[in-house]
Amino acid sequence: MRVLHVCAEMAPLLKTGGLADVSGALPAALARHGCEARVLLPGFPAIRAGLGALQTVARLDTPWGTAALLHQAMPAPGGGVGVYVIDAPQLYDRPGNPYADAAQNPYGDNHRRFALLGWLAAQLAQGLDPYWRAELVHAHDWHAGLAPAYLRAAAQSLGRRVAASVFTVHNLAYQGMFAAHHFGELALPGDFFRMDGLEFHGQLGFLKAGLFYADRLTTVSPSYAREIQTPEQGCGLDGLLRSRRHELSGILNGVDDTVWNPATDALIPARYDVEDLSGKAACKAALQREFGLAPAADAPLFAVVSRLTEQKGLQLVLDGLPGLLARGGQLLVLGSGDAALEAAFRHAAGATPRSVAVRLGYDEALSHRIYAGADVMLVPSRFEPCGLTQLYGLKYGSLPLVRRVGGLADTVNDSTLEDVMEGRATGFVFGDFAFEPYMAAMRRAFALYHEPAWWQRVQRNAMRQAFDWDAAAAQYAALYRQIL
Ligand code: ADP
Ligand code: GLC
């Protein structure tokens, strides 16, 4: 079964969020389930630089200028995954963020940049690479949303299906919307611009195209699959999603054990595992030293590793900070994004530097040191399709404190007395997005922390949770087989 994954980022080459963690791990995991998976990526500078020498598969004229399709078998532990890269410097050769310019404004030609991605996926399903034709195209998020549309257009003109398609929603809030007058630039049949198509509120919706034209839809947790069918969380697409509910399923993301494992992680100062947690104390002490926090082994260290956006609910962390500090806790934040949140965290760190530390920016190695050294990972999201930071928290024995929503609800069990006693507890969970429920969860965290034997019991339980890619890959492979 030849499956082409289509997406805009892939760890470790280029990463702005969890999407890259998924595309960096799922294709390799699929190999163990009878799928020959390859990945198609735009030729952004970081991707080109990370891959080294590439061979040219084809040079071609596209509706957006000439482009070349390049290929390299990327050596990866556990079996290499073939990567195709689109060489189109006029569209992709720009430094920095792959979606926006230095002032954070989305590029004005994003509709062309990501139309080309979807268009080339459809070409790979029609024999562009004579040695490898995709039988199934698996498109991720709005960037790849036009791939199923181009496949449908090709099928209509040829009178037969060219490849099956799956579209995965990693985040329904990012929709890839463009002005209707760009439709002529997409090289799609005229009748695709309608409500039963990619039109959405008078505009072009790339995410909507994926949701409408793909054979099957998935999202990254069972809870989110239900939530996006409601008006509250459907971002205007809940009607379409309800109409396709029998073709929509939720498959939880996993954790890539070759990257995220405290027993083998070379990026942390001391390694540890579920039997011997002593290395974790060393990681915490090192982190406190690195950030100038008071070197107190018994002060619970709460941490955030996150994009600083509305989605992540971090206003609660700010509102709850006085209570956290009054109880003797410490806070460490690694993130970047919203200027007001950045300023608020920076201000908090300036006011109480021995208890609060902030690193603004993106730092992969530091994120490992934080997962290893923290006691609690804070993830109070307003919505969360899956969430990986709480999974990394579990794996590193840093108990996640999360809101009961989306993938967070599916992966963390609260530490009520009976759940602790019965060995089910793995973290702290609150319901309504409000100060009081958040603080109640935080108080549970402090209460448990002051009972070290119980805390360790929950830590061990958390670390034993198996959110591995193998389980997810098995479900995707079963889905592929159904459609093919
Ligand atoms: P999302 O994809 O919505 O951002 P996820 O929890 O699925 O949320 O994935 C976030 C990923 O990005 C995790 O791998 C996390 O460690 C990483 N990450 C987020 N912010 C930063 C940062 N500032 N520095 C390093 N890694 C980060
Ligand atoms: C998105 C979501 C996040 C999810 C990630 C990978 O960025 O916001 O919840 O874990 O995609 O699927």
Side-chain angles (χ1 to χ4, degrees), residues 15 18 21 306-307 312 334-335 361-363 371 387-389 392:
K15 168 168 163 180
D21 290 342
S306 185
R307 294 184 293 118
K312 300 296 178 180
L334 167 63
Y362 192 93
D363 188 334
Y371 291 120
L388 292 166
T389 56
Y392 301 153

Side-chain angles (χ1 to χ4, degrees), residues 87-106:
D87 181 32
Q90 71 279 17
L91 296 176
Y92 300 139
D93 191 10
R94 299 171 197 174
N97 183 291
Y99 314 115
D101 63 20
Q104 296 308 311
N105 295 312

Side-chain angles (χ1 to χ4, degrees), residues 10-13 23-32 37 39 50-51 72-83 256 258-259:
M10 180 180 181
L13 300 170
S23 58
L26 173 60
L30 281 166
R32 296 188 287 275
V39 185
L51 283 173
Q72 193 217 34
M74 186 167 66
V81 168
V83 178
D256 185 344
T258 63
V259 181

Side-chain angles (χ1 to χ4, degrees), residues 3 5-6 19 22 26 30 136-142 148 165-172 207 210-226 228-229 241 244-253 385-386 469 472-483:
V3 179
H5 286 264
V6 189
L19 170 63
V22 175
L26 173 60
L30 281 166
L136 187 145
V137 172
H138 187 156
H140 298 268
D141 270 358
W142 75 262
S165 60
V166 172
F167 182 71
T168 294
V169 179
H170 294 265
N171 197 328
L172 199 70
L207 183 87
L211 295 179
F212 187 83
Y213 289 108
D215 296 323
R216 286 301 179 91
L217 308 176
T218 74
T219 186
V220 285
S221 69
S223 286
Y224 195 59
R226 285 189 298 276
I228 57 178
Q229 296 179 48
L241 288 162
R244 301 207 61 187
R245 64 186 173 280
H246 301 300
E247 295 145 329
L248 165 68
S249 55
I251 300 177
L252 267 182
N253 289 332
C386 176
W469 273 109
Q475 292 178 67
Y476 282 111
L479 180 74
Y480 299 160
R481 281 195 194 92
Q482 260 176 35
I483 346 176

Side-chain angles (χ1 to χ4, degrees), residues 334-472:
L334 167 63
S336 66
D338 182 86
L341 283 171
E342 287 191 355
F345 280 118
R346 210 195 327 246
H347 179 261
T352 43
R354 299 292 279 167
S355 305
V356 181
V358 175
R359 175 74 57 83
L360 298 177
Y362 192 93
D363 188 334
E364 191 75 17
L366 174 57
S367 77
H368 284 247
R369 296 199 296 281
I370 294 179
Y371 291 120
D375 293 301
V376 178
M377 294 305 303
L378 295 172
V379 197
S381 306
R382 290 177 184 274
F383 69 93
E384 197 61 73
C386 176
L388 292 166
T389 56
Q390 86 281 11
L391 298 183
Y392 301 153
L394 291 170
K395 182 95 185 194
Y396 283 75
S398 308
L399 304 184
L401 189 159
V402 307
R403 189 160 100 80
R404 190 179 297 107
V405 71
L408 301 173
D410 295 342
T411 54
V412 183
N413 294 328
D414 198 14
S415 293
T416 61
L417 194 55
E418 62 272 28
D419 282 334
V420 174
M421 305 283 286
E422 288 165 18
R424 279 193 306 268
T426 57
F428 311 96
V429 184
F430 67 100
D432 290 343
F433 189 86
F435 178 71
E436 255 318 308
Y438 169 76
M439 284 311 288
M442 164 135 333
R443 286 195 297 271
R444 284 199 293 289
F446 275 98
L448 190 70
Y449 191 78
H450 293 303
E451 297 295 336
W454 290 107
W455 182 272
Q456 284 195 14
R457 182 171 170 156
V458 178
Q459 264 183 322
R460 292 208 160 85
N461 208 26
M463 292 172 76
R464 284 197 190 99
Q465 302 295 306
F467 291 106
D468 59 298
W469 273 109
D470 216 45

